[in-house]
Amino acid sequence: MKAGIILCTLFLCACDDNSPSAATETLTAKAWQETINVKGEIKAAENTPLNVPGDGWDSRTVLDMVPDGSVVHKGQIIARFDAPRSRMDLSQADTELLRKELVAIGLAETDAVNRASLDADRAKVVADLQLSQRYVGADVSVFTRNQILDALQDIGFLKSKQTYLGWKGGQIEAGKNANLALLQSQKDSVELNAQQLRKNLSGLDLIAPHEGVFNLVASWDGSKPQIGSNRRPGQEFGILPDLSHLVASFSIPESQTFGLKTGLPVHVRLAGTGTNLELTVTKVGSSASIKSNESPVKYSDFEANIPEEVINKLALRPGQALTATVSIIDKKSALTVPNLALIQKGSQFSVYTKNGNQTNQQKIELGTRGITRSEIKNGLVAGQQIILIPPEKKADKS
């Protein structure tokens, strides 16, 4: 217990600004390197979504598909589907079209019968009218009065009937055209539906648009498509990463992203192979997010493009594990101080220097900022003693 009290007393004395043993560092220009060690994996820069083929709401049944994670080539059939409801609807549409054809034949036959009857009536009226008109110029002395009156009456009646038959012929023609127009409209509607159904049934194969590794997409409940399962047309079925454009993808805690930017060199090692790649940071995420509900730590993502010739040479595939070292700072000579020694007020920075038993607070101008150290641009010179823990930070700790 006494030994512990003595050690604590010695530590407090060492931290005292006025103590000759206060923690300091001599400012010296020397090589300055800072790196970030991360783990990641190879990912495709672009993923092509693969949706269940077809339109409408009729479900599709998965008949066959390549295994999840398979390498597929452009034009290869990834999955085959069937649409039982659409097939039934098409059969009904074809039956309806046949029925419409039979109705059209029936209308044509009815029209022929009506026209034949009308033509017969017209012929009879013409014959009767000609016969009746014979009395007009005949010698009335050879006919009885009643015969003459009947003949004259027949001529008026037959002319009226002839006019009526002409009107009836027009009505038959109008009725036939109206029935044909209605029937054609019904046929067009059924045919349009049948064409759409045929189109849907002719495109039930899911074709690979390019080479890639086929990956199934899980539904909201976490289940993935299986043979025999049903999917709606247009529903996301899988994704096809583009193997010609791969990136090395990494996630790091947000607190370690200080100084991370595009253009920095990345030394990558393929896990399990010993193969090393020299890449460059090409993309840095603009925001951070949590990776798990079990941890509040936020992570940022960054990527490094992999040249296509390297992809082909090493036969790289998405999912391969990586370890990498990102060179944040690499200067052959720089005058730096630990970030722990910095005091910030607004946009101004200062440090405490020590000269013998005297301490002074000096304003400084910073250059490059690092994770653990920062470059001195103005305000200090080599050889000065920097107090590592300023009085303000000691007060905060106490």
Side-chain angles (χ1 to χ4, degrees):
M1 184 67 179
K2 291 182 179 180
I5 295 174
I6 294 173
L7 288 175
C8 291
T9 303
L10 291 175
F11 177 76
L12 292 173
C13 291
C15 293
D16 190 351
D17 293 340
N18 297 321
S19 172
S21 59
T24 61
E25 179 182 302
T26 302
L27 194 61
T28 306
K30 56 185 176 181
W32 180 29
Q33 291 89 25
E34 289 197 16
T35 59
I36 301 175
N37 296 320
V38 291
K39 294 181 179 181
E41 64 176 332
I42 294 177
K43 290 184 178 180
E46 297 179 357
N47 294 318
T48 302
L50 301 174
N51 299 330
V52 178
D55 298 316
W57 295 96
D58 294 341
S59 63
R60 302 288 187 264
T61 303
V62 183
L63 297 181
D64 191 19
M65 63 179 175
V66 299
D68 190 14
S70 300
V71 177
V72 297
H73 304 283
K74 182 178 180 180
Q76 180 179 344
I77 296 177
I78 296 177
R80 297 181 186 274
F81 297 83
D82 191 19
R85 177 63 183 272
S86 294
R87 291 190 185 279
M88 182 183 67
D89 290 344
L90 179 59
S91 177
Q92 292 178 349
D94 289 338
T95 301
E96 184 64 17
L97 285 173
L98 180 58
R99 193 179 74 82
K100 296 299 181 185
E101 291 293 338
L102 294 175
V103 171
I105 294 174
L107 287 175
E109 291 178 350
T110 301
D111 180 67
V113 170
N114 290 337
R115 286 187 176 279
S117 177
L118 182 62
D119 290 342
D121 289 343
R122 282 175 173 173
K124 186 177 183 305
V125 169
V126 171
D128 291 344
L129 186 59
Q130 290 175 349
L131 180 63
S132 297
Q133 286 176 339
R134 291 172 56 189
Y135 289 102
V136 176
D139 186 4
V140 295
S141 61
V142 299
F143 300 101
T144 66
R145 181 177 179 83
N146 289 336
Q147 286 178 318
I148 295 172
L149 292 175
D150 290 342
L152 293 174
Q153 186 177 7
D154 287 344
I155 290 173
F157 170 74
L158 291 173
K159 285 185 177 180
S160 297
K161 186 173 183 180
Q162 193 175 41
T163 303
Y164 166 75
L165 292 176
W167 173 84
K168 185 176 181 181
Q171 291 298 106
I172 291 175
E173 181 68 18
K176 180 199 72 172
N177 292 337
N179 289 332
L180 288 177
L182 176 61
L183 182 63
Q184 188 61 45
S185 176
Q186 294 173 345
K187 286 176 62 178
D188 290 343
S189 177
V190 176
E191 180 61 33
L192 182 62
N193 184 42
Q195 289 178 0
Q196 185 63 44
L197 291 170
R198 292 190 191 97
K199 180 182 177 181
N200 290 343
L201 291 172
S202 66
L204 292 177
D205 292 340
L206 184 59
I207 308 297
H210 56 75
E211 185 179 7
V213 178
F214 170 62
N215 294 312
L216 290 169
V217 173
S219 301
W220 61 270
D221 58 356
S223 62
K224 291 186 176 182
Q226 297 180 352
I227 294 177
S229 63
N230 293 324
R231 287 293 186 273
R232 289 183 291 100
Q235 184 178 0
E236 192 173 18
F237 187 77
I239 57 172
L240 191 63
D242 187 355
L243 297 184
S244 64
H245 191 187
L246 301 180
V247 297
S249 178
F250 306 94
S251 292
I252 60 174
E254 186 180 22
S255 59
Q256 299 181 19
T257 60
F258 192 81
L260 183 64
K261 59 184 180 180
T262 58
L264 294 177
V266 186
H267 179 76
V268 177
R269 184 180 181 86
L270 297 177
T273 65
T275 303
N276 296 318
L277 302 175
E278 300 300 330
L279 305 177
T280 302
V281 176
T282 54
K283 181 181 179 181
V284 177
S286 58
S287 61
S289 60
I290 60 174
K291 299 294 184 181
S292 171
N293 293 331
E294 298 177 356
S295 173
V297 178
K298 291 186 176 182
Y299 288 80
S300 293
D301 299 329
F302 70 95
E303 296 176 354
N305 284 343
I306 303 175
E308 188 172 356
E309 58 271 19
V310 176
I311 297 172
N312 297 331
K313 179 181 178 180
L314 300 178
L316 300 179
R317 292 292 182 267
Q320 290 181 261
L322 306 169
T323 57
T325 300
V326 183
S327 180
I328 301 295
I329 298 172
D330 186 8
K331 294 190 175 185
K332 294 182 179 180
S333 179
L335 203 63
T336 65
V337 295
N339 290 337
L340 181 66
L342 295 174
I343 300 171
Q344 182 177 3
K345 291 184 179 180
S347 60
Q348 300 295 320
F349 289 89
S350 63
V351 295
Y352 276 90
T353 60
K354 185 175 182 180
N355 185 10
N357 291 330
Q358 300 297 319
T359 61
N360 296 300
Q361 186 176 2
Q362 291 185 235
K363 292 183 178 180
I364 59 174
E365 183 181 350
L366 297 180
T368 303
R369 299 293 307 275
I371 298 175
T372 58
R373 304 183 70 87
S374 295
E375 183 182 23
I376 299 299
K377 192 173 181 180
N378 283 310
L380 296 175
V381 295
Q384 287 185 277
Q385 295 288 316
I386 307 299
I387 296 177
L388 297 182
I389 304 179
E392 287 89 338
K393 294 187 178 181
K394 288 182 180 180
D396 292 341
K397 288 183 179 182
S398 60

